[in-house]
Amino acid sequence: MHDKRHAGDISITRYFPRDTLTLGVNLSVENDYVSRGVSFSGTHGSEDKNTTLNYGVGTSDDHITSQGVDQGKNTIDLMLGVTQVITPTDIAQLTITHTKGHGYFTDPYKLLDFRPREKNQSTLLLRWNHFIEGPDATLKISYRYYNDSWDISAHSLSAEYVQPLGNGWTLTPMMRLHDQSAASFYVDPGGVSGFPPYRSYDQRISAFGARSLGIKIAKEIDANWSADLKYEYYEQRGSWRFFGDGSPGLDPFHAQILQIGLSRKF
């Protein structure tokens, strides 16, 4: 299978003394998938600049043409969050998002894949950044809870330790734990009898636990340029679920990811 994707997005932000307003549009075009979206977001800061309210709304219109399929999908996204300076060395953030989708969610490339035409998703994200004065380092911890109308619930916990090394170098080890339940219509291979209205063998909506370990080294070349190299090892197994049993027919899966980045400030 061969595919080519062209994607782009543009946004414009208006700055006020204590507020920002941003309008954005995006477009993604593949051989079998076209997605168009528009979003509006903003921030409002308190008088003492210790509290910032974040809000946003977005919508997307997708068109799928593949394997004899000619279908559409529409989603609406809502976001509300708050960022709070707690102490001179601690910042916390709470963000709640909700997505309502209607249309074609089935994967046309998967055999016997039939999914509901509605999907509602809610996410709660907690972040905490703590600056450690001695080594001049920063500890970043986040927790994410996810729930949707397909009966998938997931917990994700991640941590990063950002350590400056001097001369513009930064070393960041990281880890992430993930746990999720299966969709109500997920079926392990060989485990289906009859023909229920919805079913899927897609491992991404099965019940499993996953672990990620990674490390990133970055170099600030000058005031405008920086580069980084990141390595991550990912593994998931059904038996690694913390809450309840995992999907017994799920084969262990692992991946190694190498990422090279180059950034320039304008």
Side-chain angles (χ1 to χ4, degrees), residues 204-233:
R204 293 171 294 181
I205 58 174
S206 66
F208 64 86
R211 303 169 185 173
S212 298
L213 292 174
I215 191 165
K216 180 172 75 171
I217 186 165
K219 169 65 175 175
E220 190 176 274
I221 301 172
D222 55 31
N224 296 321
W225 287 94
S226 63
D228 62 80
L229 177 66
K230 178 182 176 182
Y231 170 80
E232 184 176 353
Y233 179 81

Side-chain angles (χ1 to χ4, degrees):
M1 185 176 73
H2 300 277
D3 196 12
K4 183 180 289 186
R5 179 182 180 222
H6 300 274
D9 63 84
I10 186 171
S11 64
I12 183 170
T13 301
R14 170 70 171 172
Y15 292 92
F16 301 91
R18 289 165 50 192
D19 299 83
T20 66
L21 296 176
T22 301
L23 178 66
V25 295
N26 60 79
L27 173 67
S28 174
V29 179
E30 301 175 61
N31 295 333
D32 55 359
Y33 202 108
V34 177
S35 178
R36 302 175 179 88
V38 61
S39 64
F40 172 80
S41 62
T43 65
H44 174 72
S46 62
E47 219 172 301
D48 61 7
K49 298 184 179 180
N50 285 335
T51 305
T52 302
L53 179 69
N54 313 282
Y55 55 89
V57 59
T59 182
S60 66
D61 179 59
D62 301 350
H63 189 205
I64 304 99
T65 53
S66 174
Q67 308 293 304
V69 170
D70 189 354
Q71 296 279 347
K73 180 175 68 176
N74 304 99
T75 59
I76 297 176
D77 302 289
L78 302 173
M79 182 272 289
L80 182 64
V82 61
T83 303
Q84 178 66 48
V85 176
I86 302 174
T87 72
T89 58
D90 294 275
I91 298 177
Q93 184 182 68
L94 169 66
T95 304
I96 298 173
T97 59
H98 181 73
T99 301
K100 185 176 181 62
H102 177 79
Y104 187 78
F105 288 94
T106 295
D107 190 334
Y109 290 102
K110 295 193 179 297
L111 183 65
L112 302 176
D113 196 89
F114 307 101
R115 309 187 189 193
R117 292 187 62 84
E118 289 189 4
K119 186 178 184 182
N120 299 320
Q121 309 167 75
S122 297
T123 303
L124 171 69
L125 177 62
L126 295 170
R127 288 176 174 165
W128 173 57
N129 289 358
H130 175 66
F131 176 72
I132 306 171
E133 295 185 13
D136 197 28
T138 302
L139 177 64
K140 299 180 179 182
I141 297 177
S142 67
Y143 167 75
R144 178 179 180 267
Y145 173 73
Y146 169 90
N147 181 266
D148 65 29
S149 57
W150 292 357
D151 289 340
I152 298 177
S153 61
H155 305 267
S156 300
L157 179 66
S158 63
E160 296 183 8
Y161 181 81
V162 184
Q163 178 63 64
L165 302 176
N167 296 322
W169 290 93
T170 303
L171 186 67
T172 306
M174 59 194 70
M175 59 83 65
R176 182 173 180 266
L177 302 176
H178 178 79
D179 178 280
Q180 77 173 47
S181 61
S184 58
F185 51 87
Y186 170 76
V187 180
D188 271 317
V192 67
S193 60
F195 294 92
Y198 305 119
R199 61 176 170 176
S200 176
Y201 298 95
D202 189 344
Q203 62 153 5
R204 293 171 294 181
I205 58 174
S206 66
F208 64 86
R211 303 169 185 173
S212 298
L213 292 174
I215 191 165
K216 180 172 75 171
I217 186 165
K219 169 65 175 175
E220 190 176 274
I221 301 172
D222 55 31
N224 296 321
W225 287 94
S226 63
D228 62 80
L229 177 66
K230 178 182 176 182
Y231 170 80
E232 184 176 353
Y233 179 81
Y234 172 88
E235 187 169 358
Q236 72 178 43
R237 297 172 182 259
S239 59
W240 282 357
R241 279 212 69 205
F242 291 124
F243 304 102
D245 298 328
S247 300
L250 183 67
D251 288 333
F253 172 81
H254 65 88
Q256 297 184 71
I257 303 163
L258 186 65
Q259 176 181 298
I260 300 173
L262 184 65
S263 301
R264 189 190 191 287
K265 297 178 182 178
F266 296 93

